[in-house]
Amino acid sequence: MAAEFGDYVRKCREKKRAQSADFSLRKLAQRVGIEPSYLSKVERGQESPPSEATISSLAKELDEDPDVLLALAGKVSSDLQKIIRKRPKLFAQLIREMKNMPNHAVVRVVREVRDGDW
Amino acid sequence: MIELKQNRLNFSFPEVSPDARLTIEFQRTLRIPDDDQTYPLPPGLGKFPLEHVDDYASRVPERWVQRGGVMLPMYQAEALWINFNFHYVQDRESPYPFAVKISAGKIDAVTGENWDEQLHRKPQDYVVIPRQPWLDGYCIRRGVIRQFVAMPLGAGYSAEEQITGEAEHGGLQIKVFPMRRKAFERRFPVVRKRRMMRSRRCFPEEAPLEALFARKVDSMALAPGGQMSQEIYDDEFPFHEWCHKTSSRCFVHLVNTEVWRGITGKKPPTKPPKARDYTNAGLPWFDYYDERPAVPGQEKLSNLQSVAELAEEKRQNVLPENDPVDPQNVVGLRKGMRLGQVREGCF
């Protein structure tokens, strides 16, 4: 889990680093409020993924989806947890039923802005 | 499909391409003076809040529920601009292109023609994304628009009422057509280039302010306000490259701010600053440079009377604080500038 998360973050950062020096290990760590040595260890999978708040900051800096990074870190964002806790049975059932659905079918489940008769 | 997230309309067309995604938001802004001058672009002062009409079905007119869509609050004489945030496809180093029809009161903002579900090339009745980064009003002639300004539907000021003589629809209507996937992939093969810069200063949303409550749902319509320099860019793509049969559309209802809280229970945004106060504070206005050709204005829109002109005829005072301003701090934005590139100024 830690290795997969770290590897993904490192690849994203290096991709950005190729375009801008702002994405050096040191500068990125500084912006998200952690030590460069810690970020380095996280990227190498030698440390567990950081807190939800730090992962969200990393996602913002790297233009990545925070839910994707959290999932790689084996976490679920606190707002999603809150939603699930409200109706745990319903959401557990829904997620299990959707697990084998193709992506295009899953995205159809999200709430759309309804179009009516103009 | 269209989703409403964080006060943005997210259009996506997974059936065409996973990259076919476009975000549209409605920016609060200064109302530019409605006089003989042509002004530069005003700033964005934060996004208008958006709500599903269905969530308040029992408190809005039945006709709104029939139309579906979303709603947003506007003060009388408040201005708005539409911001197109495209999705940048990294490995092709290009945004996914879209053709977007924009109407106010079911009057096309580019041609002045009545609402029509199809795209038309001659005259072009849509804007092309990403070429068109934003739209601030009705195209009255090449390179000049009249700002979208909210007025009560039925007061006679809107483009809809001036052109059709009826006060039936109000609001904004948006229809988005993606480019065909094959055309996109052929035109923009996988490459590696540097990202382009594009930014018009948008201030963060401000804290809402107490507003009056009135148990009455007033529909708002968009009327032509002051003149602003803004091109509506000519479609650079062959017409057949648009997905004419795949589109998504949204009706955006405009609610008088005074009744917004009565409907939603939420505070409306505060009033935007006045153009004079903003200018006197030395805050920036904007100019956007792109050498591509722009469409000419159509007669129906160029013949519209502005709110100030009509108010004078009607002997009404509907535009307080309409004194001319002299923006000195005008920031130039140029299409295609790279990150870090020094902008050439005027000297």
Side-chain angles (χ1 to χ4, degrees):
Chain A
M1 189 78 71
E4 196 184 355
F5 174 81
D7 193 46
Y8 188 84
V9 168
R10 183 178 53 77
K11 281 180 181 158
C12 293
R13 185 181 62 77
E14 285 179 348
K15 201 172 166 187
K16 294 260 180 196
R17 177 72 180 83
Q19 295 180 347
S20 163
D22 288 344
F23 289 89
S24 68
L25 198 68
R26 187 176 56 80
K27 286 189 175 173
L28 178 62
Q30 199 174 27
R31 288 203 299 280
V32 299
I34 56 176
E35 290 294 325
S37 57
Y38 173 59
L39 179 57
S40 171
K41 284 180 182 170
V42 167
E43 285 191 352
R44 285 181 280 139
Q46 292 172 353
E47 282 276 4
S48 301
S51 67
E52 182 186 339
T54 304
I55 291 175
S56 297
S57 302
L58 272 173
K60 196 174 173 189
E61 289 292 335
L62 296 169
D63 281 335
E64 289 293 314
D65 189 315
D67 287 326
V68 171
L69 283 195
L70 284 166
L72 285 169
K75 297 173 192 263
V76 177
S77 70
S78 46
D79 67 313
L80 282 180
Q81 288 183 38
K82 201 172 157 189
I83 292 167
I84 294 167
R85 275 202 299 271
K86 268 190 175 174
R87 291 183 281 183
K89 201 173 163 186
L90 176 68
F91 280 105
Q93 188 185 357
L94 185 67
I95 291 167
R96 287 193 181 101
E97 282 181 10
M98 287 164 67
K99 78 175 178 189
N100 292 325
M101 279 166 68
N103 286 353
H104 71 267
V106 175
V107 295
R108 285 285 174 199
V109 176
V110 300
R111 184 178 183 189
E112 293 185 41
V113 174
R114 185 178 59 80
D115 184 23
D117 176 17
W118 296 7
Chain B
M1 64 187 288
I2 312 170
E3 290 172 80
L4 171 55
K5 282 187 179 169
Q6 296 174 323
N7 295 321
R8 294 184 173 103
L9 293 175
N10 293 335
F11 289 77
S12 60
F13 300 87
E15 66 276 39
V16 174
S17 164
D19 293 321
R21 288 185 277 152
L22 174 69
T23 299
I24 295 181
E25 61 188 35
F26 304 94
Q27 278 283 334
R28 306 180 68 230
T29 190
L30 312 173
R31 190 188 74 234
I32 60 171
D34 185 351
D35 53 23
D36 294 337
Q37 290 189 54
T38 300
Y39 290 89
L41 302 168
L45 300 172
K47 298 189 293 286
F48 278 96
L50 291 172
E51 297 284 348
H52 287 275
V53 165
D54 287 347
D55 290 351
Y56 305 97
S58 62
R59 298 181 214 169
V60 299
E62 197 180 323
R63 189 72 187 96
W64 291 20
V65 180
Q66 284 171 9
R67 288 171 176 147
V70 297
M71 57 186 187
L72 65 83
M74 289 187 86
Y75 290 93
Q76 179 171 324
E78 184 177 4
L80 158 155
W81 56 273
I82 303 168
N83 194 19
F84 304 107
N85 281 319
F86 49 72
H87 167 64
Y88 204 79
V89 184
Q90 290 290 344
D91 58 350
R92 296 180 186 276
E93 288 295 332
S94 169
Y96 202 98
F98 293 90
V100 182
K101 284 178 73 110
I102 306 279
S103 287
K106 295 182 79 171
I107 296 297
D108 191 283
V110 181
T111 63
E113 294 298 329
N114 287 332
W115 174 260
D116 180 299
E117 296 288 341
Q118 304 304 317
L119 293 175
H120 298 92
R121 185 69 184 87
K122 289 180 182 173
Q124 179 182 318
D125 63 356
Y126 55 93
V127 297
V128 177
I129 313 301
R131 178 64 59 196
Q132 193 77 37
W134 39 67
L135 182 70
D136 288 56
Y138 299 99
C139 176
I140 57 166
R141 60 179 185 271
R142 198 185 303 274
V144 180
I145 58 105
R146 275 201 186 276
Q147 192 177 29
F148 289 133
V149 173
M151 293 299 288
L153 183 64
Y157 291 93
S158 69
E160 172 188 358
E161 289 161 85
Q162 290 191 50
I163 289 174
T164 68
E166 304 283 334
E168 193 184 343
H169 306 292
L172 265 168
Q173 297 77 35
I174 297 174
K175 190 164 185 178
V176 177
F177 298 77
M179 178 174 268
R180 290 178 195 276
R181 182 173 184 160
K182 280 187 180 169
F184 172 65
E185 292 178 350
R186 190 185 64 248
R187 285 187 167 275
F188 303 100
V190 176
V191 285
R192 191 178 168 85
K193 282 185 200 163
R194 280 193 285 180
R195 186 193 282 255
M196 298 299 167
M197 185 178 91
R198 174 181 153 267
S199 64
R200 177 169 168 189
R201 185 168 180 184
C202 295
F203 294 92
E205 280 88 323
E206 45 185 324
L209 178 77
E210 290 293 326
L212 297 172
F213 168 77
R215 178 65 72 184
K216 183 166 159 260
V217 176
D218 294 327
S219 294
M220 301 291 273
L222 293 176
Q227 297 181 105
M228 191 189 303
S229 296
Q230 184 170 78
E231 274 84 18
I232 309 296
Y233 295 101
D234 199 29
D235 185 0
E236 62 196 302
F237 302 113
F239 196 54
H240 65 267
E241 292 192 356
W242 299 114
C243 278
H244 291 270
K245 289 182 180 169
T246 305
S247 60
S248 288
R249 62 175 208 170
C250 183
F251 199 113
V252 183
H253 302 265
L254 308 178
V255 186
N256 188 313
T257 305
E258 292 184 354
V259 297
W260 177 255
R261 186 155 55 178
I263 295 173
T264 64
K266 297 176 182 176
K267 286 180 184 176
T270 52
K271 281 191 174 176
K274 297 175 179 72
R276 189 179 55 185
D277 296 342
Y278 180 90
T279 309
N280 290 346
L283 291 166
W285 293 65
F286 300 88
D287 256 338
Y288 182 71
Y289 308 105
D290 186 340
E291 291 162 359
R292 297 283 179 137
V295 302
Q298 299 297 318
E299 204 178 339
K300 281 191 176 173
L301 294 178
S302 58
N303 286 342
L304 290 176
Q305 285 183 283
S306 76
V307 175
E309 289 165 352
L310 270 175
E312 195 176 333
E313 275 186 21
K314 292 170 185 272
R315 296 177 185 277
Q316 293 175 342
N317 180 20
V318 294
L319 288 183
E321 301 283 344
N322 193 41
D323 298 335
V325 297
D326 184 17
Q328 296 291 324
N329 180 10
V330 180
V331 177
L333 306 169
R334 192 171 58 207
K335 175 78 179 174
M337 278 182 79
R338 293 189 303 276
L339 281 172
Q341 183 180 340
V342 176
R343 184 183 61 79
E344 180 186 314
C346 301
F347 50 89

